[in-house]
Amino acid sequence: MIGIMCAMREELEPILEKVKIEKEIDYARNRYYIAKYKDLDLVLAYSKIGKVNAATTATILIEKFGAKKILFSGVAGAIDSDLKIGDLIIATKTCQHDVDLTVFGYEPGFIPESKVFFECDEKLNNIAKNVAKKLGIKLKEGIIASGDQFIHSKERKEWIAKTFKASAIEMEGGAVGCVTWTLGVPFFMLRSISDSAEEGAGVDFDEFLEESSKISAEFLIEMLNEIVNEKMS
Ligand code: ADE
């Protein structure tokens, strides 16, 4: 069973259009879709925005629905200047930029008995890179930082860039990274850029959410095709 999650309805809908939904289950104030894509068994959901919602949904996908890997698709704000609206990025690792226990001498993002960075699955990242190469799609790889804040300031963006060496920002990946690391499940994160995370980002986000969500969703479907092909070969 492969778990596919997004944060928002707009991000999940273009994926749902491409799979065969077999069952819809309402659970814990959310809807989970049991579906097939070719011979792959899928469970899909959008969590709602933010780290707590994302952690809850990731945990339910794994613990209740038996997801053996989690693939995340959606949009992000750009940090790296070479990332433009609609560009795709996969995470090498994720972190939580809003975790601050620095008063106790810990580095930003660190929680005792946990860690700052949660690595994404190398095998799934290699599948993504193969797909990008085959289709001639530009795909960046980098650190993606998460926090319960929509970033729309150059100052905050630069602090996140400097502190975590992050290439993009969103509001869920660090939480899903933590859950999947805790439960020992491979995690893959794909995002398409919706805004620059600077002043005016809110306007761009509203304008490009749908378009960038589709770009991410279409790439994720191509990855499922590649996973099917690899299973058969
Ligand atoms: N997701 C998309 N754009 C974002 C931004 N600027 N800040 C946080 N999450 C985002």
PDB file of all heavy atoms in Angstrom, residues 206-233:
ATOM      1  N   ASP A 206      -2.232  32.486  -4.275  1.00  0.00           N
ATOM      2  CA  ASP A 206      -3.637  32.361  -4.707  1.00  0.00           C
ATOM      3  C   ASP A 206      -3.731  32.172  -6.214  1.00  0.00           C
ATOM      4  O   ASP A 206      -4.540  31.398  -6.701  1.00  0.00           O
ATOM      5  CB  ASP A 206      -4.433  33.609  -4.297  1.00  0.00           C
ATOM      6  CG  ASP A 206      -4.859  33.533  -2.839  1.00  0.00           C
ATOM      7  OD1 ASP A 206      -4.827  32.428  -2.265  1.00  0.00           O
ATOM      8  OD2 ASP A 206      -5.216  34.588  -2.275  1.00  0.00           O
ATOM      9  N   GLU A 207      -2.865  32.874  -6.946  1.00  0.00           N
ATOM     10  CA  GLU A 207      -2.938  32.808  -8.412  1.00  0.00           C
ATOM     11  C   GLU A 207      -2.406  31.466  -8.944  1.00  0.00           C
ATOM     12  O   GLU A 207      -2.945  30.925  -9.902  1.00  0.00           O
ATOM     13  CB  GLU A 207      -2.150  33.963  -9.019  1.00  0.00           C
ATOM     14  CG  GLU A 207      -2.333  34.025 -10.523  1.00  0.00           C
ATOM     15  CD  GLU A 207      -1.700  35.252 -11.152  1.00  0.00           C
ATOM     16  OE1 GLU A 207      -1.345  36.197 -10.424  1.00  0.00           O
ATOM     17  OE2 GLU A 207      -1.555  35.237 -12.388  1.00  0.00           O
ATOM     18  N   PHE A 208      -1.355  30.937  -8.327  1.00  0.00           N
ATOM     19  CA  PHE A 208      -0.666  29.787  -8.929  1.00  0.00           C
ATOM     20  C   PHE A 208      -0.893  28.453  -8.216  1.00  0.00           C
ATOM     21  O   PHE A 208      -0.376  27.433  -8.646  1.00  0.00           O
ATOM     22  CB  PHE A 208       0.838  30.069  -9.044  1.00  0.00           C
ATOM     23  CG  PHE A 208       1.131  31.199  -9.995  1.00  0.00           C
ATOM     24  CD1 PHE A 208       1.536  32.437  -9.527  1.00  0.00           C
ATOM     25  CD2 PHE A 208       0.946  31.029 -11.362  1.00  0.00           C
ATOM     26  CE1 PHE A 208       1.778  33.485 -10.405  1.00  0.00           C
ATOM     27  CE2 PHE A 208       1.192  32.069 -12.252  1.00  0.00           C
ATOM     28  CZ  PHE A 208       1.606  33.304 -11.770  1.00  0.00           C
ATOM     29  N   LEU A 209      -1.664  28.472  -7.101  1.00  0.00           N
ATOM     30  CA  LEU A 209      -1.883  27.229  -6.344  1.00  0.00           C
ATOM     31  C   LEU A 209      -2.364  26.101  -7.246  1.00  0.00           C
ATOM     32  O   LEU A 209      -1.795  24.991  -7.253  1.00  0.00           O
ATOM     33  CB  LEU A 209      -2.893  27.477  -5.207  1.00  0.00           C
ATOM     34  CG  LEU A 209      -3.452  26.224  -4.513  1.00  0.00           C
ATOM     35  CD1 LEU A 209      -2.334  25.464  -3.795  1.00  0.00           C
ATOM     36  CD2 LEU A 209      -4.544  26.601  -3.512  1.00  0.00           C
ATOM     37  N   GLU A 210      -3.407  26.374  -8.047  1.00  0.00           N
ATOM     38  CA  GLU A 210      -4.006  25.312  -8.867  1.00  0.00           C
ATOM     39  C   GLU A 210      -3.039  24.803  -9.932  1.00  0.00           C
ATOM     40  O   GLU A 210      -2.843  23.596 -10.082  1.00  0.00           O
ATOM     41  CB  GLU A 210      -5.269  25.834  -9.532  1.00  0.00           C
ATOM     42  CG  GLU A 210      -6.496  25.054  -9.100  1.00  0.00           C
ATOM     43  CD  GLU A 210      -7.759  25.609  -9.705  1.00  0.00           C
ATOM     44  OE1 GLU A 210      -8.003  25.362 -10.883  1.00  0.00           O
ATOM     45  OE2 GLU A 210      -8.470  26.317  -8.966  1.00  0.00           O
ATOM     46  N   GLU A 211      -2.419  25.758 -10.623  1.00  0.00           N
ATOM     47  CA  GLU A 211      -1.522  25.414 -11.728  1.00  0.00           C
ATOM     48  C   GLU A 211      -0.303  24.625 -11.222  1.00  0.00           C
ATOM     49  O   GLU A 211       0.058  23.585 -11.783  1.00  0.00           O
ATOM     50  CB  GLU A 211      -1.053  26.726 -12.349  1.00  0.00           C
ATOM     51  CG  GLU A 211      -0.790  26.686 -13.826  1.00  0.00           C
ATOM     52  CD  GLU A 211      -0.519  28.112 -14.318  1.00  0.00           C
ATOM     53  OE1 GLU A 211      -1.411  28.977 -14.159  1.00  0.00           O
ATOM     54  OE2 GLU A 211       0.594  28.337 -14.819  1.00  0.00           O
ATOM     55  N   SER A 212       0.307  25.116 -10.157  1.00  0.00           N
ATOM     56  CA  SER A 212       1.501  24.448  -9.632  1.00  0.00           C
ATOM     57  C   SER A 212       1.133  23.096  -9.012  1.00  0.00           C
ATOM     58  O   SER A 212       1.897  22.132  -9.108  1.00  0.00           O
ATOM     59  CB  SER A 212       2.211  25.337  -8.606  1.00  0.00           C
ATOM     60  OG  SER A 212       2.712  26.487  -9.251  1.00  0.00           O
ATOM     61  N   SER A 213      -0.050  23.014  -8.393  1.00  0.00           N
ATOM     62  CA  SER A 213      -0.519  21.732  -7.839  1.00  0.00           C
ATOM     63  C   SER A 213      -0.621  20.682  -8.934  1.00  0.00           C
ATOM     64  O   SER A 213      -0.259  19.517  -8.740  1.00  0.00           O
ATOM     65  CB  SER A 213      -1.904  21.886  -7.201  1.00  0.00           C
ATOM     66  OG  SER A 213      -1.827  22.689  -6.062  1.00  0.00           O
ATOM     67  N   LYS A 214      -1.117  21.105 -10.105  1.00  0.00           N
ATOM     68  CA  LYS A 214      -1.276  20.176 -11.238  1.00  0.00           C
ATOM     69  C   LYS A 214       0.075  19.691 -11.730  1.00  0.00           C
ATOM     70  O   LYS A 214       0.243  18.517 -12.062  1.00  0.00           O
ATOM     71  CB  LYS A 214      -2.002  20.891 -12.395  1.00  0.00           C
ATOM     72  CG  LYS A 214      -3.494  20.706 -12.327  1.00  0.00           C
ATOM     73  CD  LYS A 214      -4.170  21.205 -13.595  1.00  0.00           C
ATOM     74  CE  LYS A 214      -5.604  21.568 -13.255  1.00  0.00           C
ATOM     75  NZ  LYS A 214      -6.121  22.670 -14.040  1.00  0.00           N
ATOM     76  N   ILE A 215       1.047  20.596 -11.774  1.00  0.00           N
ATOM     77  CA  ILE A 215       2.392  20.229 -12.239  1.00  0.00           C
ATOM     78  C   ILE A 215       2.971  19.154 -11.308  1.00  0.00           C
ATOM     79  O   ILE A 215       3.522  18.140 -11.752  1.00  0.00           O
ATOM     80  CB  ILE A 215       3.310  21.477 -12.291  1.00  0.00           C
ATOM     81  CG1 ILE A 215       2.817  22.415 -13.400  1.00  0.00           C
ATOM     82  CG2 ILE A 215       4.772  21.090 -12.494  1.00  0.00           C
ATOM     83  CD1 ILE A 215       3.478  23.785 -13.413  1.00  0.00           C
ATOM     84  N   SER A 216       2.814  19.366 -10.007  1.00  0.00           N
ATOM     85  CA  SER A 216       3.321  18.396  -9.032  1.00  0.00           C
ATOM     86  C   SER A 216       2.567  17.064  -9.159  1.00  0.00           C
ATOM     87  O   SER A 216       3.164  15.989  -9.167  1.00  0.00           O
ATOM     88  CB  SER A 216       3.181  18.974  -7.618  1.00  0.00           C
ATOM     89  OG  SER A 216       3.751  18.112  -6.674  1.00  0.00           O
ATOM     90  N   ALA A 217       1.230  17.146  -9.288  1.00  0.00           N
ATOM     91  CA  ALA A 217       0.395  15.935  -9.387  1.00  0.00           C
ATOM     92  C   ALA A 217       0.760  15.115 -10.623  1.00  0.00           C
ATOM     93  O   ALA A 217       0.874  13.883 -10.556  1.00  0.00           O
ATOM     94  CB  ALA A 217      -1.079  16.327  -9.433  1.00  0.00           C
ATOM     95  N   GLU A 218       0.943  15.804 -11.751  1.00  0.00           N
ATOM     96  CA  GLU A 218       1.271  15.085 -12.998  1.00  0.00           C
ATOM     97  C   GLU A 218       2.608  14.375 -12.882  1.00  0.00           C
ATOM     98  O   GLU A 218       2.773  13.249 -13.355  1.00  0.00           O
ATOM     99  CB  GLU A 218       1.277  16.060 -14.186  1.00  0.00           C
ATOM    100  CG  GLU A 218      -0.130  16.295 -14.719  1.00  0.00           C
ATOM    101  CD  GLU A 218      -0.243  17.523 -15.609  1.00  0.00           C
ATOM    102  OE1 GLU A 218       0.784  17.995 -16.128  1.00  0.00           O
ATOM    103  OE2 GLU A 218      -1.386  18.009 -15.756  1.00  0.00           O
ATOM    104  N   PHE A 219       3.565  15.031 -12.231  1.00  0.00           N
ATOM    105  CA  PHE A 219       4.870  14.386 -12.058  1.00  0.00           C
ATOM    106  C   PHE A 219       4.750  13.178 -11.141  1.00  0.00           C
ATOM    107  O   PHE A 219       5.355  12.124 -11.375  1.00  0.00           O
ATOM    108  CB  PHE A 219       5.898  15.388 -11.507  1.00  0.00           C
ATOM    109  CG  PHE A 219       7.304  14.867 -11.572  1.00  0.00           C
ATOM    110  CD1 PHE A 219       8.086  15.076 -12.695  1.00  0.00           C
ATOM    111  CD2 PHE A 219       7.845  14.131 -10.515  1.00  0.00           C
ATOM    112  CE1 PHE A 219       9.382  14.572 -12.780  1.00  0.00           C
ATOM    113  CE2 PHE A 219       9.134  13.620 -10.589  1.00  0.00           C
ATOM    114  CZ  PHE A 219       9.909  13.842 -11.711  1.00  0.00           C
ATOM    115  N   LEU A 220       3.931  13.313 -10.094  1.00  0.00           N
ATOM    116  CA  LEU A 220       3.747  12.186  -9.168  1.00  0.00           C
ATOM    117  C   LEU A 220       3.153  10.978  -9.892  1.00  0.00           C
ATOM    118  O   LEU A 220       3.552   9.831  -9.654  1.00  0.00           O
ATOM    119  CB  LEU A 220       2.847  12.598  -7.995  1.00  0.00           C
ATOM    120  CG  LEU A 220       2.878  11.567  -6.870  1.00  0.00           C
ATOM    121  CD1 LEU A 220       3.951  11.938  -5.860  1.00  0.00           C
ATOM    122  CD2 LEU A 220       1.552  11.413  -6.189  1.00  0.00           C
ATOM    123  N   ILE A 221       2.201  11.225 -10.785  1.00  0.00           N
ATOM    124  CA  ILE A 221       1.596  10.133 -11.569  1.00  0.00           C
ATOM    125  C   ILE A 221       2.667   9.474 -12.446  1.00  0.00           C
ATOM    126  O   ILE A 221       2.714   8.239 -12.569  1.00  0.00           O
ATOM    127  CB  ILE A 221       0.402  10.650 -12.415  1.00  0.00           C
ATOM    128  CG1 ILE A 221      -0.744  11.122 -11.515  1.00  0.00           C
ATOM    129  CG2 ILE A 221      -0.067   9.586 -13.409  1.00  0.00           C
ATOM    130  CD1 ILE A 221      -1.489  10.052 -10.741  1.00  0.00           C
ATOM    131  N   GLU A 222       3.539  10.283 -13.031  1.00  0.00           N
ATOM    132  CA  GLU A 222       4.630   9.703 -13.835  1.00  0.00           C
ATOM    133  C   GLU A 222       5.527   8.826 -12.968  1.00  0.00           C
ATOM    134  O   GLU A 222       6.049   7.809 -13.407  1.00  0.00           O
ATOM    135  CB  GLU A 222       5.453  10.802 -14.516  1.00  0.00           C
ATOM    136  CG  GLU A 222       4.711  11.574 -15.589  1.00  0.00           C
ATOM    137  CD  GLU A 222       4.285  10.701 -16.781  1.00  0.00           C
ATOM    138  OE1 GLU A 222       4.799   9.573 -16.916  1.00  0.00           O
ATOM    139  OE2 GLU A 222       3.426  11.143 -17.550  1.00  0.00           O
ATOM    140  N   MET A 223       5.696   9.229 -11.723  1.00  0.00           N
ATOM    141  CA  MET A 223       6.486   8.393 -10.805  1.00  0.00           C
ATOM    142  C   MET A 223       5.799   7.064 -10.530  1.00  0.00           C
ATOM    143  O   MET A 223       6.444   6.021 -10.436  1.00  0.00           O
ATOM    144  CB  MET A 223       6.721   9.115  -9.490  1.00  0.00           C
ATOM    145  CG  MET A 223       7.906  10.042  -9.579  1.00  0.00           C
ATOM    146  SD  MET A 223       8.357  10.624  -7.975  1.00  0.00           S
ATOM    147  CE  MET A 223       8.980   9.151  -7.187  1.00  0.00           C
ATOM    148  N   LEU A 224       4.467   7.107 -10.401  1.00  0.00           N
ATOM    149  CA  LEU A 224       3.725   5.851 -10.192  1.00  0.00           C
ATOM    150  C   LEU A 224       3.911   4.950 -11.409  1.00  0.00           C
ATOM    151  O   LEU A 224       4.087   3.734 -11.272  1.00  0.00           O
ATOM    152  CB  LEU A 224       2.237   6.125  -9.933  1.00  0.00           C
ATOM    153  CG  LEU A 224       1.883   6.897  -8.652  1.00  0.00           C
ATOM    154  CD1 LEU A 224       0.373   7.037  -8.525  1.00  0.00           C
ATOM    155  CD2 LEU A 224       2.451   6.226  -7.399  1.00  0.00           C
ATOM    156  N   ASN A 225       3.889   5.540 -12.609  1.00  0.00           N
ATOM    157  CA  ASN A 225       4.130   4.748 -13.827  1.00  0.00           C
ATOM    158  C   ASN A 225       5.494   4.069 -13.750  1.00  0.00           C
ATOM    159  O   ASN A 225       5.639   2.893 -14.092  1.00  0.00           O
ATOM    160  CB  ASN A 225       4.080   5.644 -15.071  1.00  0.00           C
ATOM    161  CG  ASN A 225       2.654   6.047 -15.416  1.00  0.00           C
ATOM    162  OD1 ASN A 225       1.705   5.291 -15.156  1.00  0.00           O
ATOM    163  ND2 ASN A 225       2.483   7.220 -15.995  1.00  0.00           N
ATOM    164  N   GLU A 226       6.476   4.816 -13.313  1.00  0.00           N
ATOM    165  CA  GLU A 226       7.846   4.283 -13.208  1.00  0.00           C
ATOM    166  C   GLU A 226       7.903   3.160 -12.155  1.00  0.00           C
ATOM    167  O   GLU A 226       8.547   2.136 -12.364  1.00  0.00           O
ATOM    168  CB  GLU A 226       8.796   5.434 -12.841  1.00  0.00           C
ATOM    169  CG  GLU A 226      10.264   5.071 -12.817  1.00  0.00           C
ATOM    170  CD  GLU A 226      10.875   4.859 -14.200  1.00  0.00           C
ATOM    171  OE1 GLU A 226      10.238   5.232 -15.197  1.00  0.00           O
ATOM    172  OE2 GLU A 226      11.973   4.277 -14.247  1.00  0.00           O
ATOM    173  N   ILE A 227       7.185   3.350 -11.046  1.00  0.00           N
ATOM    174  CA  ILE A 227       7.158   2.321  -9.983  1.00  0.00           C
ATOM    175  C   ILE A 227       6.502   1.050 -10.529  1.00  0.00           C
ATOM    176  O   ILE A 227       6.987  -0.063 -10.301  1.00  0.00           O
ATOM    177  CB  ILE A 227       6.447   2.855  -8.716  1.00  0.00           C
ATOM    178  CG1 ILE A 227       7.307   3.947  -8.056  1.00  0.00           C
ATOM    179  CG2 ILE A 227       6.157   1.724  -7.727  1.00  0.00           C
ATOM    180  CD1 ILE A 227       6.622   4.724  -6.944  1.00  0.00           C
ATOM    181  N   VAL A 228       5.424   1.202 -11.299  1.00  0.00           N
ATOM    182  CA  VAL A 228       4.756   0.049 -11.918  1.00  0.00           C
ATOM    183  C   VAL A 228       5.729  -0.659 -12.860  1.00  0.00           C
ATOM    184  O   VAL A 228       5.874  -1.895 -12.809  1.00  0.00           O
ATOM    185  CB  VAL A 228       3.492   0.490 -12.699  1.00  0.00           C
ATOM    186  CG1 VAL A 228       2.912  -0.671 -13.495  1.00  0.00           C
ATOM    187  CG2 VAL A 228       2.434   1.037 -11.753  1.00  0.00           C
ATOM    188  N   ASN A 229       6.407   0.115 -13.710  1.00  0.00           N
ATOM    189  CA  ASN A 229       7.357  -0.479 -14.674  1.00  0.00           C
ATOM    190  C   ASN A 229       8.472  -1.235 -13.964  1.00  0.00           C
ATOM    191  O   ASN A 229       8.863  -2.306 -14.377  1.00  0.00           O
ATOM    192  CB  ASN A 229       7.980   0.612 -15.551  1.00  0.00           C
ATOM    193  CG  ASN A 229       6.962   1.175 -16.519  1.00  0.00           C
ATOM    194  OD1 ASN A 229       5.916   0.557 -16.761  1.00  0.00           O
ATOM    195  ND2 ASN A 229       7.255   2.338 -17.072  1.00  0.00           N
ATOM    196  N   GLU A 230       8.979  -0.641 -12.883  1.00  0.00           N
ATOM    197  CA  GLU A 230      10.080  -1.276 -12.145  1.00  0.00           C
ATOM    198  C   GLU A 230       9.615  -2.581 -11.502  1.00  0.00           C
ATOM    199  O   GLU A 230      10.375  -3.544 -11.421  1.00  0.00           O
ATOM    200  CB  GLU A 230      10.629  -0.331 -11.088  1.00  0.00           C
ATOM    201  CG  GLU A 230      11.512   0.732 -11.681  1.00  0.00           C
ATOM    202  CD  GLU A 230      12.313   1.508 -10.664  1.00  0.00           C
ATOM    203  OE1 GLU A 230      12.243   1.184  -9.450  1.00  0.00           O
ATOM    204  OE2 GLU A 230      12.994   2.463 -11.078  1.00  0.00           O
ATOM    205  N   LYS A 231       8.354  -2.583 -11.028  1.00  0.00           N
ATOM    206  CA  LYS A 231       7.792  -3.796 -10.405  1.00  0.00           C
ATOM    207  C   LYS A 231       7.685  -4.918 -11.406  1.00  0.00           C
ATOM    208  O   LYS A 231       7.830  -6.094 -11.081  1.00  0.00           O
ATOM    209  CB  LYS A 231       6.383  -3.487  -9.841  1.00  0.00           C
ATOM    210  CG  LYS A 231       6.400  -3.251  -8.336  1.00  0.00           C
ATOM    211  CD  LYS A 231       5.053  -2.864  -7.822  1.00  0.00           C
ATOM    212  CE  LYS A 231       4.119  -4.037  -7.593  1.00  0.00           C
ATOM    213  NZ  LYS A 231       2.855  -3.614  -6.972  1.00  0.00           N
ATOM    214  N   MET A 232       7.378  -4.527 -12.671  1.00  0.00           N
ATOM    215  CA  MET A 232       7.143  -5.552 -13.694  1.00  0.00           C
ATOM    216  C   MET A 232       8.462  -6.062 -14.282  1.00  0.00           C
ATOM    217  O   MET A 232       8.498  -7.139 -14.832  1.00  0.00           O
ATOM    218  CB  MET A 232       6.248  -4.994 -14.796  1.00  0.00           C
ATOM    219  CG  MET A 232       4.815  -4.862 -14.294  1.00  0.00           C
ATOM    220  SD  MET A 232       3.605  -4.489 -15.550  1.00  0.00           S
ATOM    221  CE  MET A 232       4.187  -3.028 -16.279  1.00  0.00           C
ATOM    222  N   SER A 233       9.515  -5.248 -14.185  1.00  0.00           N
ATOM    223  CA  SER A 233      10.765  -5.663 -14.851  1.00  0.00           C
ATOM    224  C   SER A 233      11.627  -6.521 -13.931  1.00  0.00           C
ATOM    225  O   SER A 233      11.375  -6.670 -12.762  1.00  0.00           O
ATOM    226  CB  SER A 233      11.542  -4.435 -15.317  1.00  0.00           C
ATOM    227  OG  SER A 233      11.869  -3.651 -14.208  1.00  0.00           O
TER     228      SER A 233
END
